[in-house]
Structures are given as structure tokens and as C-alpha cells.
Amino acid sequence: MSVPNFVPVLAEQRSLAGAGQAGTYGVYIHVPFCVRKCSYCSFYSVPESGEWFDLYVNAVHELIELEALSKWGLERRVETIFFGGGTPSVLAPKQLNHLLQQCGRVFGGTFEEMEISIEVNPATIDYDGLVRLRRGGFNRISIGVQSLDDGELERIGRLHTAADALATVSRARKAGFANLSLDLMYGLPGQGVASWQQTLDQALALKPDHLSMYELTIEPETPFFVLAGQGVLDLPGEDEVLTMMDYTRRTIEQSRLQRYEISNYARPGYECRHNVNYWNNGSYLGFGPGAVTCKSGRRITMLADVEQFCRHVRARQSVIVDEEELTTEERFRETVIMGLRMTGGVALNALETRFGINPIVYYGESLDHLMQQGLVEIHQGRLRLTGQGLLLANTVMSELV
Ligand code: SF4
């Protein structure tokens, strides 16, 4: 497979580079419920259980209220709010809007100027629900399509069909979502190259503003892990997966989308600002079971158990299970690793200004070696992965971590 050794710098790279700088932050609300567990998923989520919904919403509401007391956000501006999961759309629109209003009340800012995202799964929300979310202030929707082949969807344990996914996209547009993202997966059991091509072509025909595409990975403690161990999971071979990736690259080049991160593609101006802040190693506040907060280099993790989480908040006990202060050097390395995920890479002088560390001197021979191998390059003052480096990103990261 031929891979171009050149990655264009996006025209928007300047604004992407700006996200996550001091003074701004994102807010993440983790909704840990799913209708049922998909066979490959290792994220923390529990089967949908209506009895916990109100308790969960009250607990998150309360924690957001408490956050105001820390005053950390007072001199900072919230830029993005992201409701992820799990499956946020298992909650009623009224509950989701209630939490969003609480964010607005406590963190301030103007909803129209922010990026306010919600992840939904087809077959968990109808047109009326989408309209209510849009009117409530959500202005970006990310739909978990994964595949447009019913057999594949069934095999990975998804609830919806391809028709459900198409209907959700059309309803979301009609409900007024002008910023729409689709999630797709390749390398699925039983998936051939032709089937992936069909899914990708159909997905692009829907004219999404943003696409996230991930290769299936087999995670421990999932049903797929057990099946793979038994040798009965019919995964495509490495060559087939490489052909899928090559087709993806060539097809995207002909589309209105541009790759801006290893797994993410967007129309110019529609890059996910919330995730760009993560990749720039910016600050964010996370609320919900298992959510993580990163406040100016201090990382705080919340209890990943819905029941305990709700009980603790109700009893006014702490839900923090881990808190660590990263050293300047740790933050520097994380910023390099995460920033390299973006095709524009990381600005060398911005790194030095932010951390007082010169990346070229710091990485020395390791960096030279990666450059000689053609995996990374310096272009217009930015350190970035080459086309080959994007394919071998894990190798590069392990050298620099
Ligand atoms: S819907 Fe998403 S979070 Fe829920 S089980 Fe499936 S993959 Fe995991």
C-alpha cells in the first residue's frame, strides 16, 4: 500500500492549536447507561435502569453546583460541553436539558458560541426527542452508526439496524442539527472489504460534517475477548484491514472531509473542539461515574459505580477515587503524545513557552531516529507525524512517551 509522506497542514490549524490554551476549558458529562452491552465494549456503562436515572441526574446536578464553590472556573471560559457515554440518549430529553441548563447556570457562557455535543445511538431517540435536545441548546450530534450492514451490527451486539441509523441521521438534520458526526468501525467480525466500502460510501453520501472511524480492538473482559481466545471470532485479516484503511484514505481525499486526527475527519471548521482541547492537553471538568477532570495539570477521577456514586453524593461524601498532580515533565510528554494524534502536530515554540522544555533537545536521539525512519517531521515549526507515521502511530508514541 502506498502512503503519501506528506500531511497537509489544515488552514484551520491555527484555531485548532488555540483550543485548550490557558483560560478556556471543556465540560464533560458522562452518562453511564446503555440499553445493553455491545460485545466489544470495555467502557464503563451499566444496562439501562430507569430507577437510577433521577438519582443520577440529581447527583450530577449537585456535583456541578459544588464545583462552583471551587471558584476554579471563575477566571476561565467554558468553550465546549460534551454529553458522552454510555448512551446519553437513554435519558429523557428533559433530563438531558436539565443538566445542560445547570451547566449554563453554573459555568456561564453563551450556548450559541459554544460547541455543545451529545452522543446518541439510533433506536434510542425519536424525532420529537431530537427536536427537544436541539431547542434545549445542543448544537452538535454524534451518532453511533458503526456499520450500515445489518449482519455486522447484529454480530457486534448493536441494537439498531442500518435503516434505524439512516432514519436517525435524517431526523437529526430535520430537527436542526447543522453539525453532525457519525461513528463508524472497521475490522469487524465477518466484515469484508466490499462491505466496509459500502458502509463508508453510504455514510459519506449522508454528507456528515464529521466522521470518526475506529478499527475494532479486542479488549479484555469483553465477550469478543473470550470468543477471540477460543479462536471463533471471524475477524478480517491484516491485509484486508490495510486495504480497508487504504480505501478510506483514498475515498476521504475525494470527499469534503479532511483528516485532522488519527481517527477523525471533518469539514473545515467542523473539527470537534471538545476533543481538540483534550489533544491539546487542555483543562476540562468531568462529571459522572468514572469521569475524569483535568484542572491545570491536576487529574481527578470519580468513582466508577453508578450506585455508589449516587449514594455518596447524596450523603455528601467525596466521589473522588484518585487525584494526582502531574509534574511539568509529565504534562510536557503527554502534550507531545496527544498533540501528535492531530495531523497538524504540535507547535515547537508553544511547547517550549508552555513548559520551558525544548522538545528537540529533550528527545534528542529518539527524535532523530524517528525522523530518519520517516515517521515524524518538522514542518513550519510544528512536529508532526508523516503519512507513514500516522499508520504506525503507536510505535512513534511508545518512543516518545
Ligand atoms: S452503546 Fe457504546 S458505550 Fe454502550 S455498550 Fe455499546 S459501545 Fe459501549
Side-chain angles (χ1 to χ4, degrees):
M1 186 172 65
S2 79
V3 179
N5 207 29
F6 170 70
V7 183
V9 173
L10 302 179
E12 293 68 31
Q13 202 59 55
R14 260 154 46 102
S15 62
L16 291 185
Q21 297 305 299
T24 63
Y25 64 100
V27 171
Y28 176 74
I29 309 289
H30 185 66
V31 183
F33 306 105
C34 289
V35 179
R36 74 166 184 232
K37 203 80 191 158
C38 302
S39 309
Y40 56 88
C41 179
S42 63
F43 294 137
Y44 174 65
S45 70
V46 292
E48 171 186 17
S49 168
E51 64 173 307
W52 285 104
F53 288 178
D54 280 339
L55 291 169
Y56 159 84
V57 170
N58 289 340
V60 173
H61 178 104
E62 187 66 24
L63 282 179
I64 293 172
E65 194 75 39
L66 287 174
E67 174 58 37
L69 299 177
S70 82
K71 301 196 184 333
W72 177 86
L74 277 185
E75 290 173 2
R76 296 174 170 83
R77 193 178 76 250
V78 62
E79 282 218 318
T80 63
I81 302 175
F82 195 108
F83 281 57
T87 307
S89 48
V90 299
L91 293 182
K94 188 174 165 193
Q95 292 170 311
L96 294 162
N97 285 339
H98 170 79
L99 287 180
L100 180 56
Q101 288 303 322
Q102 171 69 342
C103 290
R105 199 178 66 72
V106 170
F107 302 123
T110 312
F111 280 177
E112 290 75 40
E113 288 169 8
M114 289 185 216
E115 176 193 271
I116 305 178
S117 303
I118 183 157
E119 292 180 339
V120 308
N121 280 335
T124 60
I125 190 154
D126 59 15
Y127 173 67
D128 187 47
L130 290 163
V131 170
R132 291 214 260 159
L133 293 180
R134 182 69 195 90
R135 286 191 187 144
F138 290 93
N139 55 27
R140 180 176 184 274
I141 191 165
S142 172
I143 304 174
V145 172
Q146 316 310 353
S147 166
L148 288 166
D149 179 287
D150 285 345
E152 288 166 13
L153 288 167
E154 202 181 328
R155 292 181 81 170
I156 61 174
R158 302 292 295 193
L159 271 181
H160 65 271
T161 62
D164 292 329
L166 298 178
T168 302
V169 172
S170 140
R171 287 178 197 137
R173 286 295 197 201
K174 200 167 152 208
F177 281 95
N179 189 348
L180 181 146
S181 177
L182 304 178
D183 279 1
L184 298 179
M185 294 176 75
Y186 58 93
L188 302 176
Q191 186 181 48
V193 171
S195 158
W196 167 247
Q197 290 173 342
Q198 259 182 14
T199 286
L200 180 60
D201 291 349
Q202 266 185 282
L204 287 171
L206 296 170
K207 298 205 175 334
D209 307 291
H210 187 281
L211 257 187
S212 298
M213 293 187 272
Y214 294 95
E215 181 182 355
L216 173 73
T217 51
I218 305 299
E219 302 290 343
E221 295 179 38
T222 61
F224 273 6
F225 189 76
V226 176
L227 293 175
Q230 294 167 346
V232 293
L233 199 59
D234 177 21
L235 294 171
E238 207 176 306
D239 282 354
E240 276 182 296
V241 172
L242 283 175
T243 309
M244 289 177 197
M245 290 165 78
D246 191 41
Y247 181 78
T248 304
R249 183 184 57 76
R250 286 186 286 111
T251 308
I252 290 283
E253 274 171 12
Q254 307 302 318
S255 78
R256 60 179 188 162
L257 306 183
Q258 287 180 19
R259 190 181 203 178
Y260 72 101
E261 194 266 349
I262 291 175
S263 308
N264 287 279
Y265 305 77
R267 280 173 67 196
Y270 286 77
E271 298 83 6
C272 178
R273 285 161 56 193
H274 188 80
N275 287 338
V276 168
N277 177 47
Y278 283 132
W279 297 319
N280 277 332
N281 209 5
S283 290
Y284 50 89
L285 304 178
F287 300 93
V292 175
T293 283
C294 193
K295 276 181 176 177
S296 320
R298 176 180 298 168
R299 186 165 300 147
I300 301 161
T301 308
M302 286 183 182
L303 192 61
D305 178 305
V306 178
E307 195 174 334
Q308 292 292 320
F309 176 87
C310 294
R311 287 196 203 291
H312 275 57
V313 177
R314 211 169 178 184
R316 304 238 156 204
Q317 292 168 344
S318 171
V319 289
I320 295 174
V321 289
D322 192 38
E323 190 163 1
E324 60 175 333
E325 187 85 44
L326 300 180
T327 65
T328 303
E329 194 176 335
E330 284 168 333
R331 288 170 60 207
F332 163 79
R333 284 203 306 266
E334 277 194 355
T335 306
V336 171
I337 297 299
M338 292 199 286
L340 281 177
R341 294 192 60 87
M342 292 183 285
T343 54
V346 281
L348 294 168
N349 58 5
L351 277 172
E352 193 162 357
T353 305
R354 190 168 163 194
F355 300 105
I357 300 174
N358 181 316
I360 309 285
V361 175
Y362 182 83
Y363 284 114
E365 284 181 13
S366 324
L367 190 58
D368 283 347
H369 187 55
L370 289 168
M371 287 171 80
Q372 277 158 21
Q373 288 177 297
L375 298 177
V376 296
E377 64 186 356
I378 294 172
H379 180 79
Q380 294 178 356
R382 302 184 73 90
L383 180 68
R384 64 180 190 177
L385 295 177
T386 61
Q388 189 65 27
L390 282 165
L391 275 175
L392 298 173
N394 288 342
T395 311
V396 179
M397 308 303 185
S398 63
E399 287 290 319
L400 300 179
V401 74

